[in-house]
Amino acid sequence: MSWQTYVDEHLMCEIEGQHLTSAAIIGHDGSVWAQSSSFPQFKPDEITAIMNDFNEPGSLAPTGLFHGGTKYMVIQGEAGAVIRGKKGAGGITIKKTTQALIVGVYDEPMTPGQCNMVVERLGDYLIEQGL
């Protein structure tokens, strides 16, 4: 299965009538493996800050999480595994796997829990596969 298929069929899938606004699978170095057509590009310093937060949990909290120049307030996550952010009626979930970051961006009416489920389920599967 191609990385694009994971994005199209697993991240951009419909959950209870809702779906993510955009999604991507990105290498730890910031290289894009696959993405939805509407996915805003990460800037190199944004990827660096995210990877630093996975290594030193809590480092993003004071400054916020930036994605494509958009600032998200960091909310609860799982240290070293998941970062979650909120902005207005939407937000972002980033799950770290062995080799990649699984990123999902959502807006209402999708809920944070639905976004977390979609992103983290694929991330857990890829971790089980050694990816």
Side-chain angles (χ1 to χ4, degrees), residues 10 16 22 25 27 35 37 39 50 55 66 71 77 92 118-119:
H10 297 277
E16 298 168 16
S22 62
I25 300 173
Q35 65 184 22
S37 59
F39 190 78
I50 289 165
N55 296 327
F66 286 86
K71 182 179 181 177
I92 187 169
V118 170
V119 171

Side-chain angles (χ1 to χ4, degrees), residues 104-120:
V105 179
Y106 70 94
D107 214 337
E108 281 188 336
M110 185 175 228
T111 66
Q114 290 169 324
C115 177
N116 296 342
M117 183 179 69
V118 170
V119 171
E120 294 173 37

Side-chain angles (χ1 to χ4, degrees), residues 5-61:
T5 303
Y6 280 111
V7 170
D8 295 341
E9 295 182 6
H10 297 277
L11 292 175
M12 297 303 291
C13 65
E14 191 172 295
I15 299 291
E16 298 168 16
Q18 309 305 322
H19 57 84
L20 295 172
T21 306
S22 62
I25 300 173
I26 298 174
H28 288 179
D29 62 355
S31 61
V32 176
W33 295 6
Q35 65 184 22
S36 63
S37 59
S38 59
F39 190 78
Q41 296 302 306
F42 273 109
K43 297 175 181 166
D45 58 328
E46 294 172 342
I47 290 288
T48 301
I50 289 165
M51 291 305 294
N52 286 345
D53 192 79
F54 280 120
N55 296 327
E56 299 171 33
S59 65
L60 280 178

